Amino acid sequence: MADQQLPAANGHSNGDSGVPEEVPELPNYLYKALERLAPREGFTEGKFSIAFDFGSSKGDGFVGQMFKAIISEGGRQEVYLCKIPPLDDARREEFKSMTAFAREAFVYERFLPLFFDYQRQKGVRSRDDGFFHAPRCYYAYCNEAAQESVIIMEDLRLREFRLWNKHDPVDYEHARLFMTHIGRLHAISLAMKRDRPEQFEQFKLPNPFDEMLKEDSPFRNMILSQVQMVIDALDEDDTVTRAKMEQLKEDVFRELLRCGDPSLAEPYAVVGHGDCWTNNMMFRYQDGSPQEIILLDWQVLRYVTPAQDLVYFIFSCTDGAFRRKHYEEMIDIYHSSLSAMLERLQHDPNELFPRSALDEQLHQFGRYGILMGMFLVPMMCTRADELPDIEAMAKQMKETNQLNESFFKTTESNKEAYSKRISDVVKDSIRYGYF
């Protein structure tokens, strides 16, 4: 039972080489969590068994690992996805996994239940009208001091949800679905902030990874290397664009902090998902067309400008050809969805977030698309067998307190695709007046 094969996601499978890999020894706290869950799910204490399989592929997560738990009793079998911090000590510690898990456990225990309840209290109860688009969470636990955490969720593949192939830029229908639902999520923030300010205060959270930007952080050299990769990908004759990127390299840490400063976005700051790329969303299809979206991996949820989620997605997950055809329409779809949601929540969108304010936010913070694209685009252009050894990098960081290289390097197989996509990210940012 532990090695049953679930249907593969779009461009996603349980292994890259085809050679079976042994599930490692898993921590006792994971077994205990499942033993607590099983009776709540109708299993009989002392009569059920638990088996494990891998739950994701290489490259699908840096700060956590996913395992599939199969609980069986008699003829009944249920599958759950269990997300835990990395088993490797260096990887867990150096990549600040416990910080991320504390945030995601908070999201499932507090944020999402209150956001869902707020919508229902305002008369929005349907998935067709509101934002209820997160996986069902059965159990969330985090003890940062003990370095223990587990989040037990439904396996969306069993409901025929699929990941988009992260190597391909998204198409119109997938992008439209995302922009519609992120608009709803942001609208709930704006409305709840107005209606329940004291309750909303707990959600004004910073980026959990801002400490990576500190002067003594081992990630600083890596971040500078990612910027240099962008510069190297630009046409040598395009001196204006290269000069802009050279200046961004000088300012990159200040710019990352500026783009994440919610005080600069008020009164329009929202609770953003924070990690809006295609591996953190799944789609359900009908006749080949995506009909439903679920947002995953809420580990960097924070209070920030709404522009962050938009430019993160658009500049990392679409390409230049798509943006030339659909960029303005995508922004229109977002704001129309946000406005309609605010009206369902009994608020005036022209008061809480007029279109002119959105345009100002995009112009003020739009270069965040470059700052995230420099990390995401190379990963999307890199084959699974060429992904970096994260545990080796973590070991180097632990030993030297430095990470003196990019996460992703160009190779013969990805150089052309990377250069084209990242160059378009920079040029489009200039075209839209963000950079």
Side-chain angles (χ1 to χ4, degrees):
M1 281 176 283
D3 53 357
Q4 69 174 16
Q5 293 297 310
L6 293 178
N10 182 8
H12 188 75
S13 66
N14 288 332
D16 300 312
S17 66
V19 178
E21 187 177 351
E22 291 290 328
V23 175
E25 182 178 351
L26 298 175
N28 286 333
Y29 68 78
L30 174 56
Y31 284 91
K32 290 178 180 178
L34 289 162
E35 287 166 359
R36 284 193 287 269
L37 173 65
R40 301 207 304 260
E41 289 291 294
F43 290 96
T44 308
E45 290 194 35
K47 294 188 177 180
F48 60 84
S49 62
I50 303 173
F52 289 98
D53 195 358
F54 292 100
S56 63
S57 299
K58 182 181 179 182
D60 285 345
F62 291 101
V63 298
Q65 291 179 261
M66 191 82 76
F67 295 93
K68 185 171 59 181
I70 304 98
I71 304 180
S72 304
E73 180 183 345
R76 182 188 174 198
Q77 178 176 286
E78 301 291 346
V79 176
Y80 305 88
L81 282 186
C82 304
K83 189 174 184 178
I84 63 172
L87 300 173
D88 181 78
D89 291 344
R91 178 178 167 189
R92 186 177 61 253
E93 293 164 7
E94 298 302 322
F95 287 98
K96 313 300 179 187
S97 292
M98 297 313 305
T99 301
F101 271 84
R103 181 63 53 87
E104 189 160 29
F106 174 82
V107 169
Y108 284 113
E109 289 182 309
R110 295 287 297 167
F111 172 75
L112 288 173
L114 285 174
F115 258 48
F116 294 166
D117 177 71
Y118 170 72
Q119 292 174 83
R120 296 185 184 106
Q121 290 289 324
K122 300 285 282 192
V124 179
R125 296 180 174 86
S126 168
R127 296 177 68 86
D128 294 332
D129 297 326
F131 183 89
F132 300 96
H133 294 73
R136 180 181 177 185
C137 179
Y138 297 93
Y139 184 92
Y141 157 78
C142 183
N143 184 330
E144 290 186 80
Q147 296 198 35
E148 297 178 356
S149 185
V150 57
I151 297 170
I152 303 175
M153 301 171 288
E154 66 172 317
D155 189 337
L156 288 161
R157 292 170 294 187
L158 299 177
R159 290 203 285 131
E160 299 184 346
F161 281 87
R162 299 289 177 263
L163 283 170
W164 177 260
N165 185 342
K166 65 187 174 187
H167 300 298
D168 296 335
V170 295
D171 61 19
Y172 178 89
E173 289 301 324
H174 290 82
R176 178 193 61 79
L177 204 55
F178 170 79
M179 298 301 280
T180 297
H181 287 83
I182 204 68
R184 293 181 186 179
L185 179 66
H186 290 175
I188 300 165
S189 279
L190 293 166
M192 189 176 180
K193 183 165 61 169
R194 176 66 62 90
D195 288 340
R196 302 182 182 180
E198 292 182 1
Q199 188 179 53
F200 186 83
E201 196 68 25
Q202 65 186 303
F203 303 136
K204 292 184 177 181
L205 299 168
N207 185 336
F209 294 118
D210 274 351
E211 67 176 82
M212 292 183 177
L213 306 178
K214 293 180 179 178
E215 290 190 6
D216 60 349
S217 168
F219 288 92
R220 287 177 70 92
N221 285 339
M222 180 273 293
I223 293 170
L224 292 171
S225 295
Q226 296 295 151
V227 183
Q228 188 61 49
M229 275 184 62
V230 179
I231 296 170
D232 293 342
L234 297 173
D235 190 327
E236 290 186 359
D237 296 329
D238 191 350
T239 55
V240 173
T241 304
R242 291 177 70 92
K244 283 180 173 288
M245 282 303 305
E246 290 285 1
Q247 184 59 53
L248 182 60
K249 186 176 180 181
E250 294 293 320
D251 300 334
V252 64
F253 302 108
R254 287 189 296 273
E255 279 297 292
L256 282 164
L257 290 171
R258 184 189 67 82
C259 288
D261 185 346
S263 69
L264 301 177
E266 294 292 17
Y268 307 114
V270 299
V271 179
H273 178 277
D275 201 5
C276 296
W277 72 294
T278 46
N279 250 37
N280 290 339
M281 53 195 76
M282 295 183 78
F283 301 90
R284 184 154 60 181
Y285 297 83
Q286 183 176 342
D287 300 325
S289 177
Q291 300 297 311
E292 190 174 354
I293 185 173
I294 295 288
L295 297 188
L296 314 168
D297 287 355
W298 296 81
Q299 295 179 326
V300 289
L301 172 136
R302 71 271 204 153
Y303 187 63
V304 74
T305 170
Q308 267 203 10
D309 281 345
L310 306 188
V311 296
Y312 188 131
F313 174 80
I314 291 176
F315 285 96
S316 294
C317 302
T318 72
D319 60 11
F322 178 95
R323 291 189 292 273
R324 283 190 290 275
K325 291 181 181 178
H326 303 299
Y327 182 81
E328 289 80 6
E329 184 181 0
M330 288 296 122
I331 301 301
D332 289 341
I333 289 170
Y334 164 80
H335 193 260
S336 295
S337 176
L338 179 144
S339 298
M341 186 71 193
L342 283 173
E343 289 174 351
R344 287 193 287 272
L345 297 171
Q346 301 149 43
H347 285 281
D348 180 359
N350 291 319
E351 178 188 356
L352 263 62
F353 196 32
R355 177 55 195 264
S356 59
L358 171 59
D359 292 337
E360 290 171 4
Q361 295 277 312
L362 286 168
H363 279 88
Q364 186 175 1
F365 301 106
R367 65 179 58 185
Y368 190 74
I370 299 176
L371 296 171
M372 289 298 100
M374 69 186 190
F375 295 106
L376 270 294
V377 170
M379 181 161 59
M380 291 173 163
C381 295
T382 302
R383 296 197 317 244
D385 61 350
E386 293 180 338
L387 288 170
D389 185 334
I390 300 301
E391 293 181 2
M393 295 174 81
K395 183 178 179 182
Q396 174 197 340
M397 289 171 62
K398 191 167 186 175
E399 292 175 349
T400 66
N401 197 38
Q402 284 297 328
L403 184 57
N404 296 313
E405 56 184 321
S406 303
F407 265 173
F408 306 100
K409 293 182 171 65
T410 54
T411 65
E412 288 303 315
S413 65
N414 74 4
K415 186 175 182 178
E416 183 177 350
Y418 167 75
S419 295
K420 171 62 176 169
R421 280 189 68 172
I422 201 65
S423 295
D424 283 348
V425 166
V426 179
K427 291 175 183 177
D428 288 348
S429 297
I430 295 172
R431 180 181 300 117
Y432 300 129
Y434 303 160
F435 185 38

